[in-house]
Structures are given as C-alpha cells and as structure tokens.
Amino acid sequence: DDNAITNAIHIQNPPSGGLRVITSNNDCMVRVFDLQSFTPLNRFYFPWAVNHATTSPDSKLLCVVGDDTTGFLADAQTGKAVAHLKGHIDYS
C-alpha cells in the first residue's frame, strides 16, 4: 500500500550523485525515491513500523529504527540487516 502514514523523510545526497528521498512508514517499509522525478528506486520491509531511517555518510548503510527496542543497520542497496542495534528501551 503506497498510501501508508509517513513518519519521517530523509534527503540523501549519495556520492554517486542524484538526490534521493528516503521515507520511513507505518506499514513497516522504507521507500527510496529519486528526488527529481519521484520515481521509486527501492523499498525495504522491516518487522515493525519504521519511525526513522537515515544513511551513513558514504551511503552504504541504512540505520533503521521503529516500533521495537531493536534497530537495524542495513545494507543500503539490499535492505538486508548487517547488524542489530540494541540498547534503547522506549520507542514510543
């Protein structure tokens, strides 16, 4: 469903060029769009509603946090988790 509630928007300026919009959504998805054309480039599914996602400075990693006490560091190209982030106790 592309009409999900959007919790956060991140503007990414990858080293390869071309600005991107990364949206964090209540439908457990992170969506990546080309900023100029708003063409969808990718979508990644997570096990909980996503409250925020941001990229590392080199655009290789995506940090994703949501309605869970565990966050993810994910590969920015595939969305696959490369590390689990534990430690915060409140996600409300």
Side-chain angles (χ1 to χ4, degrees):
D1 177 15
D2 287 333
N3 294 314
I5 294 171
T6 299
N7 294 321
I9 297 171
H10 171 73
I11 306 297
Q12 176 194 26
N13 189 8
S16 60
L19 291 174
R20 294 181 179 166
V21 174
I22 299 172
T23 63
S24 306
N25 301 283
N26 263 6
D27 64 354
C28 306
M29 287 181 39
V30 170
R31 292 174 175 85
V32 182
F33 300 91
D34 176 83
L35 179 65
Q36 200 157 22
S37 67
F38 211 61
T39 302
L41 301 174
N42 224 330
R43 63 175 66 189
F44 307 120
Y45 297 90
F46 293 92
W48 23 252
V50 179
N51 295 330
H52 191 74
T54 190
T55 55
S56 61
D58 63 4
S59 298
K60 292 181 180 181
L61 295 173
L62 189 63
C63 181
V64 183
V65 295
D67 287 358
D68 194 85
T69 57
T70 301
F72 287 122
L73 277 182
D75 181 288
Q77 297 298 314
T78 66
K80 303 239 185 221
V82 296
H84 297 276
L85 306 171
K86 296 181 181 196
H88 74 100
I89 57 173
D90 184 12
Y91 55 85
S92 58

